[in-house]
Amino acid sequence: MRAAPRAALWAALALGLAPEARAQVPEIRGDDDSPAARVAREVLERRDYVWIDRDTVLGPEFRAPGDLVVYGAEVRLEGSVEGSAVVLDGDLWIRPGGRVGGSVAVIGGGVYPAGLAIVDRDSVFHTDPRGRVTIGTRRTGDGGYVATAEITAPPRPAFFAPAVGPFPTYDRVNGLTVSASANIRPTRRRPGPVINVWGSYRFQQENQLGGGARWRVPLGRENLHLTGEASRATRTMDDWASGDVVNSVRALSLGRDYRDYWDADVFRLMVERPVGKPLIAGETWLGPRLGVQVSNDRSLETQAPWAVVDREGLERENPPVHEGTIFSLLAGAEFHWRARTSLFDGSVDVEHGRLGGFDGDGFTQVLVTGSYAALALRTHQLMLRFRAMSPIGGSDAPPQRRGILGAGYTLPTEPVARFRGDHLYFVETSYVIPLRNVVLPVVGEPSVEAVHLAGAAWVGGAEPEWVQNAGVGVIFSLLRVRMLVNPAARPLKPAFTFGIYLPQT
């Protein structure tokens, strides 16, 4: 199987190779049917490719009217490939202005498109890392050689297998909640549909049994997926500020629960384009989503379960919600961007809902979240996170679409739920300085930080005055301690917080 004369001539002109230095494209062996293997086989079948097996730079003048095959070499592409590219045990760097018109299949090796490269990142395919790729070469009698690629696909997943999570939680409306889950793969293919089913037992709630199913089905086009959920579970709008693990530890040990809750039976169906976080400097990802949701919501009463230190914080009233059915149209998108020393992650979600049915009272609410992290002065780190939530139009959102601010890691100088509303704005900025010359036993190298928090929440048009917190913190390995004050309060009363710290860059 030889390259077409037209493509061979292009290779000779581009690389200065003698025309008789011929090669046969590899045979793709094995039962792997991944997108990478399919693209590679299609390139081989077309027999219209430029074959490169030595390190080289394909300059801006390089033009391949067909495909490109890189074998065991490091190639920097500054020109244009009209067709697809196959990388076999090599590396393809697509420089700014470099272009690949079709797909890129990586079978051993890697592909690295620059931020200004012209390539469809949704059409870059790798073989499954859980499998095995073996590439070999043998000489032929006419002075050329035959390259072979043996792809061993990973074992097929089980039809039914236990899954990890959800983890046990502890809060003031359920007490202890324990759960078990499993994954069902109807086709036993990893890229295929998967259904996650789980059940839970909530020890101190009237409806003690909960659980449901979530599913993800690839639609086979543009990386679109059909996702959904049918479940009965306890919900909260405040897990962004106090996650399940941290909130459970605080509730059980200190008797503090910084979240509000309601119970709901939910059916949701979405079309999504899921994305991964970018790994290459200058790369961006955008993932839109659109769908519908029907929920039947119920209020929950505080149960004031047991706590190690003091259960007073678990006796805080859990506010009632609008009970009944909410029909909602959902739309949103995720955006991820990564540069050499900084990154940004954000999302936008819009919900248009109707209370009690299609003829009921309607509301529309927008939620925008984001985080930004960047290195400064080589070792320092600047971090910013924000959350903005607001209804659109003249209708207020129901109570289950309202968030709270106060205590915890939102505004520690204020009491829990000092602010509550369907309008919510919160900004946190911190500047972290590692102490390179200090090494402590067990915790290692600490860092210090300057931090500023600001926010408010409300219902209706009367916006309250925002509250600010400013202070300092000390960061150890996975642990952060902060002391903050409200600069506008007299006398100044410091508040201390403890939590988990994960670096962002």
Side-chain angles (χ1 to χ4, degrees), residues 165-171 175-180 201 203 244-246 248-249:
F167 295 105
T169 60
Y170 197 82
D171 56 67
L176 177 65
T177 299
V178 294
S179 305
Y201 187 85
F203 279 79
D244 288 344
V245 174
V246 173
S248 297
V249 171

Side-chain angles (χ1 to χ4, degrees), residues 224-299:
L224 293 176
H225 288 68
L226 181 68
T227 66
E229 176 180 338
S231 66
R232 167 172 289 184
T234 301
R235 323 281 170 167
T236 180
M237 287 286 287
D238 308 309
D239 50 356
W240 66 276
S242 185
D244 288 344
V245 174
V246 173
N247 197 77
S248 297
V249 171
R250 285 170 172 164
L252 179 61
S253 60
L254 303 176
R256 299 176 182 175
D257 189 343
Y258 297 143
R259 311 195 304 192
D260 290 340
Y261 304 92
W262 78 96
D263 196 40
D265 301 329
V266 170
F267 177 82
R268 180 169 58 250
L269 197 63
M270 304 283 292
V271 175
E272 301 184 49
R273 183 172 174 255
V275 298
K277 289 189 176 181
L279 300 177
I280 302 171
E283 191 174 39
T284 62
W285 292 85
L286 180 66
R289 49 184 174 263
L290 182 68
V292 296
Q293 175 178 286
V294 181
S295 67
N296 184 25
D297 299 354
R298 298 172 293 276
S299 300

